[in-house]
Amino acid sequence: MGLEWFIKLVHARPDAVIVWDDLEVRERLSWYYSVMRNSKPAKFLIAKRTPIDENPYGEGLTIEELWRIHDEAVVEFKKILNEVRNSSISIESVAKPVYSLLDVKIAIAYKLYSPCRLCERRCGALRASGKPGVCFVDRECIVHTYFHHMGEEAPLVPSGTIFYGGCNFKCAFCQNYDISQVSPRSGERVTPERLARIQESLRKTGARNINHVGGEPTPHLPFILESLKYLEANTPQLWNSNMYMSLESMKLLVDVIDIWLPDFKYGSNECAWRLSRVRNYWEVVTRNHKLAYENGDMIIRHLVLPNHVECCTRRVLEWIAGNTPKILVNIMEQYRPEHLVTKYPEKYPDINRRPSRDEMRRAYEIAEGLGIVFKPVS
């Protein structure tokens, strides 16, 4: 990452450089900042150095036995992580094991994906037999595009963004509906090895992170974890998600994700069901946000929907202030009617327009009143 890359960044997004002068941003994204600058190793590299005693890919092991091996290894992982954080040791001083915590995560993920319970739909699709789940994804990783994204939050730019096909949500207003709903399987089929090479190329050409997004990355969890087995470039792993993954998937993710970029869409289960066709949204997403908060840096995105400031925006921001107080929030005004809202406007009259200036002002006032830090990342 030489001078030419830096000049391009300053020209395209000067705020992406200036943002790191804000001490509050530096403090709240301290781990990500250190990995981004290569002064600390990404968590997946530590997971690769955390040993286990058994071959997790053996056919005789049950998923219960794999979880036992996993949970025992996590104890050692946390010890190594803390020593790395405190600069007591360097990752290079830790020997590479034959099998690692990452290996057992991969083995568990492939057991979880068929019958599939990677997300809280738990649809049970036999994906290993080529039968796609509700998300439209089967046994192959589908990548629609990847590039240096210059439009993300300032601390993330340029973001090495990988757009995966398919999604477990059915949002009526989806802005990426072409890859999530309409033609989710039309992207490139990539192997985990190929996915690792994509990540390596993005990082070596100036990406500050690898941004797993879509669609939704959760259905691709086994392939993403396996790609890290072949990736050696030190790069922060960023999970850009609707956060509707199962608790099992969260347990697999927390030890490899350096920074979370989750959506927090709705303040009520009724709104989530009507607009995205998912059940128990509030319970699932608040659980997963809390786990993410306890296991990494985070910028929460909240998209302000018209006519939903009181039922959704207020409740979301109140929860954030009370449960994840040391994170950054991006209160987004980018909503516009898309997909089914434009096709069937009579079904969605409440969101068939952009949010008004007054609605955005109210959202910002709520955040300010709660002490939420959001301006430095907008």
Side-chain angles (χ1 to χ4, degrees):
M1 290 184 255
L3 181 60
E4 182 181 355
W5 165 81
F6 184 75
I7 291 172
K8 288 180 179 179
L9 173 60
V10 173
H11 182 265
R13 285 285 301 273
D15 61 325
V17 178
I18 297 169
V19 69
W20 294 112
D21 294 333
D22 189 313
L23 295 181
E24 197 156 24
V25 173
R26 287 270 289 272
E27 178 185 353
R28 298 189 182 206
L29 300 179
S30 59
W31 173 256
Y32 164 70
Y33 182 73
S34 65
V35 179
M36 181 190 77
R37 292 172 58 85
N38 287 318
S39 62
K40 299 293 182 186
K43 287 166 70 176
F44 81 90
L45 292 173
I46 300 174
K48 289 170 76 167
R49 301 280 181 129
T50 303
I52 60 174
D53 295 329
E54 300 178 61
N55 175 2
Y57 304 110
E59 293 184 4
L61 290 173
T62 65
I63 194 165
E64 291 78 16
E65 290 169 324
L66 288 171
W67 277 121
R68 174 187 56 79
I69 296 168
H70 176 276
D71 293 348
E72 290 173 356
V74 166
V75 175
E76 179 64 16
F77 167 84
K78 289 181 177 178
K79 177 185 174 184
I80 299 172
L81 175 62
N82 286 334
E83 291 177 338
V84 169
R85 281 184 187 275
N86 298 330
S87 300
S88 302
I89 62 170
S90 66
I91 191 63
E92 291 77 18
S93 68
V94 182
K96 291 183 178 180
V98 176
Y99 296 108
S100 72
L101 173 59
L102 181 61
D103 286 304
V104 74
K105 286 180 180 291
I106 295 167
I108 292 172
Y110 276 106
K111 285 187 178 292
L112 291 176
Y113 102 123
S114 190
C116 196
R117 53 261 200 222
L118 290 173
C119 86
E120 284 293 357
R121 283 188 181 274
R122 298 182 180 270
C123 69
L126 299 177
R127 291 175 53 189
S129 300
K131 298 179 181 179
V134 175
C135 59
F136 302 112
V137 185
D138 54 22
R139 59 189 170 199
E140 294 182 294
C141 182
I142 304 170
V143 172
H144 279 263
T145 187
Y146 56 90
F147 57 93
H148 287 180
H149 200 324
M150 301 301 290
E152 301 286 60
E153 288 79 354
L156 309 177
V157 171
S159 183
T161 304
I162 303 174
F163 280 88
Y164 298 95
C167 187
N168 54 352
F169 273 31
K170 307 299 174 186
C171 297
F173 53 88
C174 182
Q175 295 180 2
N176 290 334
Y177 62 90
D178 55 334
I179 69 170
S180 68
Q181 309 296 335
V182 177
S183 303
R185 298 170 58 79
S186 63
E188 176 188 359
R189 269 63 172 172
V190 302
T191 64
E193 294 93 332
R194 166 73 174 141
L195 187 57
R197 300 290 79 78
I198 290 171
Q199 295 179 64
E200 183 176 23
S201 174
L202 289 168
R203 176 62 166 169
K204 289 185 175 180
T205 53
R208 283 179 165 175
N209 50 71
I210 297 300
N211 184 345
H212 300 284
V213 66
E216 169 62 25
T218 299
H220 300 269
L221 178 58
F223 319 128
I224 293 170
L225 287 174
E226 188 178 356
S227 75
L228 301 180
K229 188 177 176 69
Y230 306 103
L231 179 63
E232 295 299 329
N234 185 33
T235 179
Q237 296 291 311
L238 184 157
W239 198 255
N240 187 342
S241 168
N242 59 37
M243 298 302 280
Y244 198 68
M245 66 282 286
S246 65
L247 182 58
E248 297 95 321
S249 291
M250 278 299 295
K251 286 182 66 176
L252 297 179
L253 280 167
V254 293
D255 307 313
V256 298
I257 298 303
D258 300 288
I259 180 167
W260 304 80
L261 187 62
D263 286 336
F264 200 157
K265 286 184 171 67
Y266 305 111
S268 83
N269 287 336
E270 292 75 17
C271 294
W273 171 248
R274 188 169 67 86
L275 300 179
S276 291
R277 311 308 289 177
V278 289
R279 298 290 191 186
N280 302 317
Y281 175 86
W282 181 261
E283 293 79 9
V284 172
V285 170
T286 53
R287 177 198 70 199
N288 290 341
H289 276 78
K290 194 72 179 295
L291 285 169
Y293 176 68
E294 294 167 354
N295 290 276
D297 296 344
M298 183 158 62
I299 302 171
I300 293 180
R301 288 175 166 175
H302 173 67
L303 182 67
V304 178
L305 299 175
N307 293 302
H308 286 257
V309 171
E310 292 302 318
C311 60
C312 291
T313 296
R314 182 180 294 278
R315 192 177 186 208
V316 165
L317 295 178
E318 288 175 346
W319 187 92
I320 290 171
N323 294 274
T324 58
K326 295 183 179 180
I327 55 93
L328 301 173
V329 180
N330 186 1
I331 299 173
M332 305 173 72
E333 60 178 321
Q334 289 94 326
Y335 175 82
R336 61 182 184 272
E338 288 277 4
H339 191 33
L340 299 180
V341 179
T342 57
K343 192 173 183 180
Y344 306 106
E346 70 283 358
K347 292 184 178 181
Y348 308 99
D350 54 321
I351 59 170
N352 191 28
R353 63 170 174 83
R354 297 180 67 97
S356 68
R357 288 185 180 181
D358 181 63
E359 286 170 323
M360 292 309 305
R361 178 185 55 77
R362 284 161 52 203
Y364 296 145
E365 287 176 351
I366 293 167
E368 288 175 345
L370 293 167
I372 290 173
V373 176
F374 63 96
K375 288 183 179 178
V377 298
S378 41

